[in-house]
Amino acid sequence: MNQRETPSEITTTAALLARRQRVLGSGYRLFYEEPLHVVRGEGVWLVDHQGKRYLDVYNNVASVGHCHPAVVEAMARQSAQLNTHTRYLHAAIVDFAEDLLSEFPAELNNLMLTCTGSEANDLALRIARHTTGGTGILVTRWAYHGVTSALAELSPSLGDGVVRGSHVKLIEAPNTYRQPGAFITSIREALAQMQQEGIRPAALLVDTLFSSDGVFCAPQGEMAQAAALIRQAGGLFIADEVQPGFGRTGEAMWCFARHGVVPDLVSLGKPMGNGHPIAGLVGRSALFDAFGRDVRYFNTFGGNPVSCQTAHAVLRVIREEQLQQNALRVGQYLRQGLQRLAQNFPLIGDIRAYGLFIGVELVNDRESKAPASESTLQVVNAMRQRGVLISATGPAANVLKVRPPLVFQEEHADLFLTTLRDVLAVIGSHRE
């Protein structure tokens, strides 16, 4: 037995899967047709129970790389000293809040910490509804914003089994590949429908890179126009930066900055603690003050010292290792490599690359743009078999989702591109 392995780590995958299903039930889902049994992580690599290494080209949660030593050390150090909630004074939450807010426009000058992005978005909804007096929420047609009851009702990507909220209106993502211009038109139509139904708007809530919709960046000017439309109707503009934030798009720390617009509220999550459960909501102090005067809000673990020290270490690593700049450089390298592949593989219909967040849309033919959903599933699973981990997204699940840790380098990009080329050479010859 490897000294690092425990008896549970050498359990066969089939036996572990059977135990998991027995005690956890059927509510969970696993990645890949052949589930991956991982026991260790380091940088851009995950290691399974048999010692095989997998290149991680998907997990943005470990934003600065799996088990980054500086993050692990900060977490362990504070764990050995104190961990409690935010109703005691402690420097860790204040130090972190001041430093994090320095990365935002001056208007966004308050931070409330939570444990998950779902909690952050849930708090954003509560603040929006309380301060505007409205109830109506606009989200994109295949959005995902969280798993609380309130968030599930406005996350249509969770499937038809989740009933949409009665005051939730769906709008089109800025799909420049299939529906250019539909984003703004659909916002106007949704607001007009709300007015006809007597629904007062509370907010437009969008993932600023429309990750679940297929990875899109709104054309220049459209995001600002969208924010203006919801504000004119009396609502707030909420930017969900849970997936694209923390320098991932390369050009700026936050994706909303690409559009020259300042949101009213910004939700943060997943990458904030590099796997440790910390998230938050940044916003205008006037909104937080108005909410706080009337509503008692408390989150036991949100903003605890261990979480804050961990997140602060992540922020320092992003700066010190220049990971935003790395995302821009390596992202451009990846985009160029994918464009070369597209010249040889017509299965690739469109490439949408924004730093280290890339969507590669697969189609049966480029003229009809018919989604190649089955081929996409085959690609994802074939890549996994060859030791490279990616996923798929979009309404038809035909968009390869490429979203590696920010420490991803050109040598890793080469391995990804070579493996994808080999897989497409096989799968591309067996079209749907």
Side-chain angles (χ1 to χ4, degrees):
M1 182 187 301
N2 187 301
Q3 289 183 348
R4 294 186 180 182
E5 290 179 332
T6 67
S8 63
E9 288 174 339
I10 59 172
T11 303
T12 65
T13 298
L16 184 60
L17 180 59
R19 290 170 56 203
R20 174 189 169 101
Q21 291 173 335
R22 184 169 61 252
V23 296
L24 299 183
S26 58
Y28 286 100
R29 300 290 187 273
L30 288 165
F31 285 136
Y32 311 114
E33 291 176 348
E34 182 183 345
L36 188 62
H37 178 184
V38 293
V39 297
R40 291 192 301 280
E42 182 179 359
V44 298
W45 299 97
L46 288 172
V47 182
D48 74 8
H49 65 298
Q50 295 177 321
K52 180 179 178 179
R53 295 207 309 169
Y54 292 81
L55 182 66
D56 189 350
V57 197
Y58 176 72
N59 282 297
N60 73 319
V61 178
S63 57
V64 299
H66 294 282
C67 302
H68 193 290
V71 178
V72 172
E73 192 278 331
M75 186 188 309
R77 183 181 66 250
Q78 185 59 50
S79 295
Q81 294 175 353
L82 172 72
N83 198 28
T84 186
H85 50 70
T86 55
R87 300 184 79 172
Y88 299 111
L89 278 175
H90 196 281
I93 187 172
V94 179
D95 291 343
F96 174 59
E98 289 174 341
D99 205 5
L100 181 65
L101 289 172
S102 72
E103 297 285 352
F104 284 86
E107 303 97 311
L108 303 178
N109 55 353
N110 272 184
L111 166 69
M112 295 182 76
L113 289 173
T114 64
C115 301
T116 68
S118 293
E119 288 181 339
N121 276 330
D122 192 89
L123 179 58
L125 289 184
R126 292 179 63 187
I127 291 174
R129 285 172 169 155
H130 182 83
T131 56
T132 66
T135 57
I137 307 293
L138 278 67
V139 296
T140 52
R141 194 165 297 281
W142 202 246
Y144 171 71
H145 293 293
V147 295
T148 66
S149 294
L151 270 302
E153 289 182 353
L154 44 84
S155 294
S157 66
L158 292 176
D160 295 336
V162 180
V163 178
R164 180 162 32 111
S166 60
H167 286 190
V168 175
K169 300 299 180 186
L170 301 184
I171 60 173
E172 302 297 335
N175 188 334
T176 51
Y177 181 56
R178 296 176 182 275
Q179 295 176 291
F183 179 51
I184 296 300
T185 299
S186 66
I187 292 175
R188 294 184 188 278
E189 292 173 349
L191 289 172
Q193 188 177 5
M194 281 188 178
Q195 186 175 30
Q196 291 173 358
E197 297 175 7
I199 299 173
R200 185 173 178 177
L204 167 65
L205 170 61
V206 295
D207 173 333
T208 49
L209 205 54
F210 302 88
S211 309
S212 296
D213 292 281
V215 187
F216 298 98
C217 187
Q220 193 63 37
E222 284 198 3
M223 196 72 86
Q225 191 176 356
L229 286 170
I230 189 64
R231 287 167 175 161
Q232 289 166 8
L236 304 182
F237 172 48
I238 305 173
D240 184 335
E241 291 275 343
V242 170
Q243 294 194 63
F246 288 94
R248 175 156 294 278
T249 59
E251 294 180 354
M253 193 65 143
W254 316 111
C255 192
F256 68 77
R258 297 170 60 98
H259 304 282
V261 59
V262 178
D264 298 296
L265 297 167
V266 181
S267 56
L268 309 173
K270 296 177 180 178
M272 194 170 181
N274 208 51
H276 186 83
I278 180 170
L281 184 68
V282 172
R284 302 173 189 269
S285 57
L287 297 173
F288 285 78
D289 291 345
F291 180 74
R293 278 194 299 268
D294 300 326
V295 179
R296 181 177 179 270
Y297 179 81
F298 176 59
N299 187 313
T300 301
F301 294 110
N304 71 75
V306 172
S307 295
C308 289
Q309 294 284 18
T310 302
H312 209 166
V314 171
L315 185 60
R316 286 192 290 265
V317 169
I318 290 173
R319 292 168 176 160
E320 291 167 4
E321 298 187 10
Q322 298 185 314
L323 295 185
Q324 178 187 320
Q325 295 86 341
N326 185 73
L328 182 62
R329 186 189 76 252
V330 180
Q332 290 173 341
Y333 185 85
L334 267 171
R335 183 184 69 244
Q336 293 165 0
L338 288 166
Q339 288 170 341
R340 288 193 295 271
L341 286 181
Q343 295 173 6
N344 297 316
F345 297 101
L347 191 63
I348 298 176
D350 194 32
I351 298 166
R352 302 183 283 272
Y354 315 102
L356 285 178
F357 207 142
I358 301 173
V360 182
E361 183 153 357
L362 304 187
V363 295
N364 286 325
D365 68 83
R366 291 176 176 172
E367 184 174 348
S368 71
K369 301 180 182 179
S373 303
E374 182 60 32
S375 293
T376 305
L377 180 64
Q378 292 173 2
V379 169
V380 169
N381 282 288
M383 295 285 283
R384 174 254 186 268
Q385 293 295 335
R386 288 165 171 79
V388 176
L389 306 178
I390 58 173
S391 187
T393 190
N398 70 310
V399 180
L400 300 178
K401 192 173 186 179
V402 178
R403 192 189 54 178
L406 298 177
V407 292
F408 206 73
Q409 300 295 319
E410 285 88 345
E411 64 195 80
H412 307 127
D414 286 337
L415 176 56
F416 163 73
L417 291 166
T418 299
T419 307
L420 180 59
R421 180 201 62 200
D422 294 344
V423 167
L424 289 174
V426 175
I427 292 174
S429 62
H430 302 288
R431 307 294 288 279
E432 297 172 37

